[in-house]
Amino acid sequence: MSTSGDQATARNTNPNNSYEITPSATDSVSSLSFSPIADILVATSWDCQVRCWEITRSDGSISSEPKVSMSHDNPVLCSAWKDDGTTVFTGGCDKQAKMWPLLSGAQPFTVAMHDAPICEIAWIPGMNLLVTGSWDKTLKYWDTRQPTPAHTQQLPDKCYALTVKESLMVVGTGDRNLLVFDLKNPQVEFKRIESSLKHQTRCLAAFPDQKGFLVGSIGGSVGVHHIDDAQVSKNYTFKCHRVGNTICSVNSLNFHPIYGTFISTGSDGTFSFWDKDSKTRLKAMSRCDQPITCSTFNHDGALFAYAVGYDWSKGAENHKPDTAKTSIYLHLPEEADVKPRSTYKVGRFTVKKEQI
Amino acid sequence: MASIQKDPILQVETTCGSLLYELQIIWDEVGETETDRDKMLLELERECLEVYRRKVDQANRCRAQLRQAIADAEAELAAICSAMGERPVHIRQTDQSVGSLKQELGRILPELEEMQKRKIERRNQFVVVLEEINSITNDIRGQGELVHSKPLIDETDLSMRKLEDLHCQLQALQKEKIDRVETIRKHLCTLYSHCSVLGMDFNEVVGQVNPTLSDPEGPRSLSDHTIEKLGAAVQKLREVKIQRMQRLQDLATTMLELWNLMDTPIEEQQEYQHITCNIAASEQEITEANSLSEDFIKYVEAEVVRLDEVKASKMKELVLKKRSELEDICRKTHLLPVSDSAIDQTIAAIESGIVDATMVLEHLEQHISKIKEEALSRKEILERVEKWLSACDEESWLEEYNRDDNRYNAGRGAHLTLKRAEKARNLVNKLPGMVEALASKTIVWEQEKGIEFLYDGIRLLSMLEEYNLLRQEREEEHRRQRDQKKLQGQLIAEQEALYGSKPSPSKPLGGKKAPRMSTGGATNRRLSLGAAMHQTPKPNKKADHRQNDGALSNGRRGLDIAGLPSRKQSMNPSEMLQSPLVRKPFSPISTTVIASKANIATTTQQQLPKNNTVNEISSFATPVKNINSIRNLEEEKMMTMMMQTPKNVAAMIPIPSTPATVSVPMHTAPTPFTNNARLMSEKPEVVEYSFEERRLAFMLQAECGLV
């Protein structure tokens, strides 16, 4: 790609012609979550708001309808749905997590408290517990009916990323620690691994088969980790989200709920489709003018939501609040892009093992 | 003839014949003409015929009437049967009909009467059912003003089936009515409980829904509309209840927090216990009357406001209280208290209103719990330290005692002193083992926690090392003393040989003070011990850090240990140079340092009168060297332990970062902006931040700038 071409595409706010959800957030979107049973999307953002839209799709056309919204006192950083799709949990800089039974129309109320902002939140259906990760170096499990945590797990450093898949939970903290938990026995660290990537952990995604997880760093690479010691030899890392020599952060990793391929998004404003088993990039999308801050698949994988806005990867000096527009887009992935290929070209394979 | 005479017609004929004969006789006599006679006879015959015809007609009419009556009866019977849905009993079959028409009519009429009677009965049954249906329907429709009109009965269908149908209909209606009554009753019950909980007038609420409902005796409206309105009212009250409940629970939560914050006495809390116990109750669980009334909420609100005011006034007091609590715990567990200036700053900040006092309190509370936790883990070792220190006291007492040449002089309480000395000797014999056990325990603790075990701010291990050194030194002194004594003995012997006199056993120096020394000396010794420890903490810590770093990096890289000691020793001279310099900044304990120095100096002077020329530094220089040699041994031991158990390396990793006791208060400082600023300025290169943390810090700074 030539630089001029880069600039040309960079000016385009929606180069992939995705459907834009309106009204959008007024500041960067920090998390997107689809209901596990319906096409209801929730977005949390730095403007302290949590918004909810209902998405309807018919024959390839999409429409969205804003439904409800609520607000925190401070920027909201994370969100998660309860497995029955009735309730949304959100957490943020006000050091609280709120439970919002939005389907029943009830008001949100606080269910969890930390000493520092809550940056990760997840619902554990098997245990009926909420787990929150915070910069106060703890992980807390909450029975939402109790005012005190069911269990507090001390972390070696601040929590930066978290992923839950049935009984597998992986927590990424500062100092490149990756903590693996078996949720059948959540009080004991199952394993502590040092990230295979050189830079700070930014995002995690557990394999659908729970045998491992992906880790994305702020240094433009993704690591594939297997948990079983016998499988460690299959671990590898690859570079992505780079524009020429500029290294961009990998901001989110999402597995397709049906095909097991995954999408990565980054500060370079692109999102790409990957197949970890064949080590193939299935598709690369055009570059947006701003970073993609977060993304998610809906429950059947037919919709991919991603948010474009400034992610602070270049600090405050590069934040231009006047021109930076935050948008939330919906992309309809083509089947060919998300289905793992039976045959693939090794020659075009861009992924290679990175030196640690 | 007789038979003929019996026949009335024959008799009539006879009479007619005789009358005709009589007429002929009359005519003959009169002499009537033949034509007149014929004419008369014709007339007679015509009149007879007339009479006959009239009778026949009459009979004929009578027969027709009879037939008509039968037909009518039959028709009516059939109609009634068909209406009642019964098979007609009487089926006229013309072929088989026997008997005359009158007989037939006679048979059919009672049947008809019977059927008519039954029909009337049936009809009455219908009327009863229909009237009931009508009344219930009216009830349900709720049009009370509808006039009870006579039910319309379809006369053509009075069959049992229809009656049964109507009965079913009636039953269904009755059931529906019962259901509705039940629904209304339930709604009213719920409404009543809601009203009582919310402190509302039940009759008024119900009266608004439907006036008939508030009348306990009279008939109640059962209409859909009423039920709907009632349901809506229940729902509305429920919403109000939930809203108030949430409000009350919010208040209760605040109240609990405030109590907790201010340590409100239980008696004062008791009054509001019934509120706070409902803090997690669901909507259904709150049934107590007036527990959600407006007045009640106002009352709770007032209490919260009052507590809030109390809190505001007490805040500073509380902070100070918590702080003294913290200091108390620290003192008890021999932990270094949080630096005063940091807390003074926060208090100043509270006064100036920059910082929210609750945040500071929260932070202090956290800190206290952390310290308590730590104190718990330290307990075992601390107990051992106490034992060791008391043993040390005994040891120094024993030493003083041993030095007292008059110790065997019989005096008051001498046997007690002897006993104490015996016990002390036993204890002193155990001391090395005690120290070793304590040291190994401490090492284990340090490895587990990944931080140094500090006793009043000094590393316990270094205290123990110091003690071992002093002990060695003392042993050396003992040896020298023994030699000296021997020399003295020789001198005395020589003098005895010369002068033949025997001097009384004399006290070496300051003999008057000896008895005081034997008791007060212990504290002196301890002071000197403590002081000796005070002198070293900083360089020691530094050295330890460096050594730890070295050990770690070595351990990580898997280098040979052999290279290590040489590196360590290279550090020693600088440490030796530093230690006297570093002592100065410890201004708060400087007096004790000086005193202890003097103390040590005087004791050495006392013990070694001939070694007066030895200067202070050299007397310190030896122990320092020794410390290092010992520490190197210690270090090597730890190293080898770490090499043997590689898992420990991971456990040790956090050590170099920051000892928790020192840095924690900075990390968890509650006010974000000051906190962040401090953190940033202090060690920007060490702390790792995510994009979001940076963004939040920037936001807070910006906000701070605006403020």
Side-chain angles (χ1 to χ4, degrees):
Chain A
M1 256 197 218
S2 66
T3 36
S4 60
D6 269 5
Q7 279 158 1
T9 51
R11 286 199 195 90
N12 192 345
T13 45
N14 186 8
N16 297 304
N17 291 322
S18 303
Y19 172 82
E20 181 167 3
I21 292 177
T22 51
S24 186
T26 56
D27 206 340
S28 309
V29 175
S30 53
S31 80
L32 288 167
S33 302
F34 261 113
S35 159
I37 55 167
D39 286 344
I40 301 173
L41 179 68
V42 158
T44 64
S45 53
W46 280 83
D47 57 9
C48 311
Q49 292 292 314
V50 182
R51 294 175 173 81
C52 172
W53 297 270
E54 186 168 12
I55 315 293
T56 42
R57 49 186 153 119
S58 53
D59 299 334
S61 69
I62 320 175
S63 62
S64 69
E65 191 187 342
K67 283 288 177 188
V68 275
S69 71
M70 65 113 157
S71 64
H72 277 246
D73 297 338
N74 282 308
V76 197
L77 296 180
C78 49
S79 59
W81 280 83
K82 202 169 165 178
D83 57 329
D84 60 3
T86 60
T87 304
V88 168
F89 299 98
T90 54
C93 296
D94 50 7
K95 307 173 190 176
Q96 296 181 355
K98 288 188 180 183
M99 173 164 162
W100 187 22
L102 46 73
L103 280 210
S104 66
Q107 285 303 303
F109 54 93
T110 302
V111 290
M113 297 280 285
H114 271 271
D115 301 332
I118 297 174
C119 60
E120 287 294 340
I121 197 162
W123 176 255
I124 306 172
M127 299 198 292
N128 251 341
L129 286 180
L130 181 72
V131 61
T132 52
S134 162
W135 296 339
D136 66 4
K137 303 187 183 179
T138 61
L139 205 63
K140 292 183 180 179
Y141 297 84
W142 304 86
D143 177 348
T144 55
R145 293 157 296 184
Q146 304 284 334
T148 50
H151 172 61
T152 302
Q153 181 74 37
Q154 204 65 41
L155 298 176
D157 211 315
K158 287 171 280 194
C159 175
Y160 283 154
L162 181 140
T163 180
V164 173
K165 182 74 192 177
E166 288 160 31
S167 68
L168 170 67
M169 177 169 79
V170 186
V171 183
T173 73
D175 210 20
R176 294 163 55 247
N177 285 308
L178 298 173
L179 282 67
V180 182
F181 291 90
D182 180 0
L183 290 177
K184 287 167 198 141
N185 186 11
Q187 278 151 338
V188 185
E189 269 180 40
F190 180 72
K191 208 171 186 186
R192 190 182 285 197
I193 309 172
E194 189 176 54
S195 169
S196 56
L197 307 175
K198 284 184 286 187
H199 295 92
Q200 185 185 86
T201 305
R202 179 95 176 119
C203 49
L204 289 165
F207 290 180
D209 61 5
Q210 305 177 55
K211 286 183 179 152
F213 57 90
L214 304 170
V215 51
S217 78
I218 61 168
S221 15
V222 169
V224 180
H225 280 267
H226 291 83
I227 291 165
D228 189 357
D229 284 331
Q231 302 238 296
V232 164
S233 58
K234 285 164 76 181
N235 289 358
Y236 64 93
T237 66
F238 62 90
K239 293 176 187 170
C240 50
H241 297 290
R242 295 174 182 214
V243 184
N245 289 327
T246 320
I247 294 170
C248 299
S249 165
V250 180
N251 284 340
S252 68
L253 293 165
N254 301 104
F255 272 104
H256 190 279
I258 289 162
Y259 295 121
T261 55
F262 68 92
I263 286 189
S264 67
T265 71
S267 291
D268 58 345
T270 64
F271 59 103
S272 309
F273 297 75
W274 308 85
D275 180 0
K276 71 173 167 62
D277 299 321
S278 63
K279 302 188 181 176
T280 324
R281 182 164 78 182
L282 299 169
K283 188 171 192 179
M285 303 302 288
S286 305
R287 208 147 78 77
C288 304
D289 60 341
Q290 286 190 89
I292 298 179
T293 52
C294 52
S295 62
T296 186
F297 273 111
N298 76 334
H299 63 101
D300 63 0
L303 291 169
F304 177 71
Y306 62 100
V308 176
Y310 188 47
D311 63 355
W312 221 258
S313 55
K314 288 176 182 155
E317 56 273 19
N318 285 302
H319 182 218
K320 295 170 185 69
D322 307 331
T323 54
K325 179 184 167 262
T326 302
S327 319
I328 302 171
Y329 294 114
L330 285 174
H331 174 74
L332 290 169
E334 285 165 33
E335 189 135 304
D337 299 341
V338 292
K339 221 170 177 172
R341 281 178 205 157
S342 48
T343 58
Y344 49 89
K345 281 185 272 179
V346 180
R348 292 277 300 157
F349 180 40
T350 54
V351 175
K352 69 176 177 192
K353 183 127 182 158
E354 203 179 34
Q355 288 301 311
I356 302 162
Chain B
M1 270 324 262
S3 66
I4 293 167
Q5 275 180 331
K6 275 176 191 169
D7 191 341
I9 295 171
L10 282 184
Q11 279 176 351
V12 171
E13 269 179 13
T14 322
T15 322
C16 281
S18 64
L19 280 174
L20 207 56
Y21 182 67
E22 208 180 317
L23 200 59
Q24 247 170 349
I25 294 168
I26 294 166
W27 279 342
D28 283 342
E29 237 179 67
V30 170
E32 275 295 353
T33 61
E34 244 358 79
T35 47
D36 280 341
R37 283 186 188 188
D38 284 350
K39 207 176 159 188
M40 204 80 99
L41 277 176
L42 201 67
E43 196 177 325
L44 194 71
E45 242 167 84
R46 217 186 55 228
E47 270 174 22
C48 271
L49 201 64
E50 191 87 355
V51 168
Y52 269 109
R53 189 167 291 139
R54 219 168 47 235
K55 284 291 171 195
V56 167
D57 276 353
Q58 201 179 345
N60 208 6
R61 221 168 30 244
C62 188
R63 190 183 65 183
Q65 268 173 359
L66 210 54
R67 278 199 179 129
Q68 182 63 44
I70 292 172
D72 282 351
E74 275 179 342
E76 199 180 341
L77 195 61
I80 292 171
C81 283
S82 92
M84 291 182 46
E86 279 172 25
R87 241 176 118 252
V89 183
H90 172 84
I91 301 165
R92 203 179 83 149
Q93 287 165 326
T94 32
D95 322 340
Q96 289 173 1
S97 87
V98 277
S100 67
L101 287 176
K102 280 191 175 168
Q103 278 173 334
E104 210 176 320
L105 187 62
R107 211 168 48 238
I108 212 166
L109 274 180
E111 267 177 50
L112 182 61
E113 264 167 40
E114 173 69 22
M115 281 314 277
Q116 275 169 339
K117 217 165 75 193
R118 280 175 62 190
K119 182 186 164 186
I120 286 163
E121 277 169 21
R122 182 72 61 84
R123 196 173 176 283
N124 285 340
Q125 284 176 328
F126 268 77
V127 167
V128 170
V129 172
L130 281 173
E131 265 173 2
E132 257 181 274
I133 287 177
N134 264 8
S135 91
I136 293 176
T137 316
N138 280 344
D139 276 352
I140 288 173
R141 281 206 198 114
Q143 280 126 358
E145 64 274 14
L146 196 85
V147 188
H148 286 266
S149 58
K150 273 276 170 207
L152 291 168
I153 298 172
D154 179 9
E155 298 278 356
T156 56
D157 190 357
L158 297 170
S159 64
M160 279 310 277
R161 224 178 54 221
K162 180 83 186 285
L163 189 64
E164 267 161 32
D165 279 355
L166 284 176
H167 269 296
C168 286
Q169 204 183 327
L170 179 64
Q171 269 169 4
L173 281 170
Q174 278 168 337
K175 199 169 162 290
E176 195 186 335
K177 186 178 171 182
I178 290 166
D179 284 350
R180 277 166 187 262
V181 168
E182 182 62 19
T183 314
I184 285 175
R185 196 189 60 78
K186 271 186 192 158
H187 274 320
L188 286 175
C189 276
T190 323
L191 207 60
Y192 181 78
S193 81
H194 282 341
C195 281
S196 85
V197 168
L198 294 174
M200 288 175 170
D201 182 6
F202 172 68
N203 279 333
E204 194 189 310
V205 172
V206 170
Q208 277 171 3
V209 174
N210 195 319
T212 59
L213 294 175
S214 54
D215 179 11
E217 302 301 325
R220 285 169 174 173
S221 168
L222 302 173
S223 66
D224 284 334
H225 182 64
T226 310
I227 292 178
E228 209 171 278
K229 268 174 85 177
L230 203 55
V234 167
Q235 190 55 31
K236 203 182 100 195
L237 282 190
R238 186 163 175 267
E239 272 161 24
V240 171
K241 187 178 168 189
I242 289 171
Q243 202 183 337
R244 287 198 192 170
M245 185 189 72
Q246 279 169 351
R247 178 98 189 287
L248 191 70
Q249 286 181 347
D250 281 352
L251 286 171
T253 316
T254 319
M255 203 184 258
L256 277 178
E257 276 168 7
L258 287 168
W259 284 345
N260 200 17
L261 197 68
M262 296 191 287
D263 291 334
T264 311
I266 296 290
E267 305 84 69
E268 206 173 310
Q269 292 184 12
Q270 212 71 52
E271 197 185 330
Y272 299 93
Q273 212 65 50
H274 60 286
I275 305 163
T276 49
C277 69
N278 278 339
I279 192 158
S282 63
E283 181 258 324
Q284 292 87 357
E285 284 169 319
I286 297 181
T287 49
E288 204 184 319
N290 278 329
S291 62
L292 289 176
S293 70
E294 263 168 20
D295 289 343
F296 187 71
I297 286 180
K298 269 181 199 151
Y299 159 72
V300 177
E301 226 166 24
E303 175 63 12
V304 170
V305 167
R306 189 188 71 81
L307 283 173
D308 235 354
E309 276 165 10
V310 173
K311 176 190 124 185
S313 67
K314 271 195 178 170
M315 232 1 142
K316 199 183 144 195
E317 199 182 306
L318 270 168
V319 168
L320 288 172
K321 199 177 124 198
K322 285 285 167 197
R323 180 186 151 196
S324 71
E325 189 186 332
L326 180 62
E327 280 170 355
D328 199 43
I329 296 171
C330 281
R331 206 175 54 244
K332 271 188 195 150
T333 54
H334 299 275
L335 277 167
L336 263 198
V338 198
S339 71
D340 278 4
S341 58
I343 285 178
D344 285 339
Q345 271 174 15
T346 50
I347 287 169
I350 293 167
E351 277 170 356
S352 59
I354 302 171
V355 188
D356 184 5
T358 43
M359 302 273 271
V360 178
L361 264 185
E362 234 168 69
H363 159 60
L364 272 172
E365 209 122 294
Q366 277 167 12
H367 199 75
I368 287 173
S369 67
K370 212 173 271 177
I371 293 266
K372 274 185 179 161
E373 216 169 276
E374 203 179 332
L376 206 69
S377 77
R378 288 163 62 96
K379 203 180 153 205
E380 196 191 348
I381 293 180
L382 275 179
E383 276 168 7
R384 279 171 184 268
V385 170
E386 293 305 321
K387 266 189 200 161
W388 169 60
L389 284 177
S390 68
C392 282
D393 283 350
E394 281 303 285
E395 188 187 20
S396 42
W397 174 85
L398 185 66
E399 208 169 308
E400 293 296 332
Y401 173 77
N402 280 341
R403 221 172 283 136
D404 184 358
D405 289 335
N406 290 329
R407 62 181 180 273
Y408 299 123
N409 283 0
R412 267 185 78 189
H415 63 289
L416 288 177
T417 329
L418 267 173
K419 237 179 212 167
R420 183 178 172 187
E422 197 184 328
K423 264 190 198 159
R425 269 185 213 107
N426 272 337
L427 203 60
V428 168
N429 283 340
K430 280 184 204 154
L431 250 172
M434 206 186 269
V435 170
E436 203 168 303
L438 183 55
S440 64
K441 271 254 183 261
T442 314
I443 290 167
V444 169
W445 187 91
E446 287 192 350
Q447 275 175 352
E448 265 174 18
K449 302 279 160 184
I451 49 168
E452 293 181 345
F453 189 97
L454 299 176
Y455 188 87
D456 285 337
I458 307 147
R459 196 174 172 200
L460 181 62
L461 281 179
S462 58
M463 273 170 79
L464 293 171
E465 280 156 20
E466 202 90 9
Y467 169 78
N468 278 337
L469 272 181
L470 280 169
R471 199 180 159 80
Q472 278 178 356
E473 200 185 322
R474 215 155 36 207
E475 269 164 20
E476 219 163 292
E477 275 167 33
H478 274 295
R479 243 198 333 274
R480 269 188 228 132
Q481 231 167 2
R482 267 201 300 276
D483 292 347
Q484 206 192 341
K485 240 184 185 169
K486 224 184 266 171
L487 215 69
Q488 225 169 11
Q490 275 175 359
L491 256 166
I492 288 166
E494 275 169 30
Q495 276 177 340
E496 270 178 0
L498 277 173
Y499 307 107
S501 69
K502 192 182 168 194
S504 63
S506 63
K507 301 151 200 171
L509 268 174
K512 273 187 248 167
K513 285 179 186 168
R516 210 171 58 199
M517 288 289 275
S518 59
T519 50
T523 49
N524 252 350
R525 170 58 65 192
R526 188 171 163 194
L527 259 180
S528 72
L529 190 67
M533 286 155 194
H534 274 298
Q535 288 158 11
T536 41
K538 190 123 196 190
N540 267 355
K541 208 190 280 169
K542 257 189 188 169
D544 283 351
H545 273 293
R546 251 177 283 160
Q547 282 160 7
N548 266 337
D549 281 352
L552 279 167
S553 54
N554 277 336
R556 220 183 257 169
R557 287 170 200 155
L559 283 181
D560 199 352
I561 325 161
L564 204 61
S566 63
R567 265 190 58 192
K568 296 290 138 52
Q569 263 158 7
S570 70
M571 276 186 254
N572 291 340
S574 66
E575 202 175 314
M576 276 162 55
L577 283 172
Q578 268 178 354
S579 52
L581 288 172
V582 179
R583 265 172 226 141
K584 281 175 190 167
F586 281 90
S587 46
I589 52 163
S590 64
T591 50
T592 51
V593 169
I594 291 160
S596 67
K597 259 194 232 168
N599 219 337
I600 290 172
T602 48
T603 47
T604 44
Q605 273 164 10
Q606 279 171 358
Q607 290 151 8
L608 309 164
K610 282 180 183 173
N611 282 3
N612 270 346
T613 48
V614 178
N615 62 25
E616 265 184 49
I617 293 176
S618 69
S619 71
F620 276 104
T622 33
V624 171
K625 237 179 222 164
N626 280 337
I627 287 176
N628 281 315
S629 64
I630 290 172
R631 190 174 298 129
N632 283 343
L633 281 171
E634 200 67 58
E635 199 71 53
E636 269 184 26
K637 209 162 97 189
M638 278 172 71
M639 271 300 301
T640 45
M641 277 172 73
M642 275 156 53
M643 293 301 281
Q644 279 160 1
T645 52
K647 272 175 199 163
N648 281 349
V649 178
M652 296 286 282
I653 285 173
I655 296 179
S657 59
T658 41
T661 41
V662 181
S663 60
V664 162
M666 300 298 179
H667 275 302
T668 53
T671 48
F673 37 94
T674 48
N675 170 23
N676 275 332
R678 207 185 294 160
L679 270 176
M680 297 281 249
S681 61
E682 266 183 10
K683 30 189 166 181
E685 75 287 351
V686 183
V687 183
E688 179 184 1
Y689 291 113
S690 66
F691 298 153
E692 283 77 18
E693 282 175 282
R694 292 212 176 100
R695 184 170 194 169
L696 183 62
F698 175 76
M699 266 178 63
L700 293 168
Q701 269 173 350
E703 272 172 29
C704 201
L706 288 174
V707 169

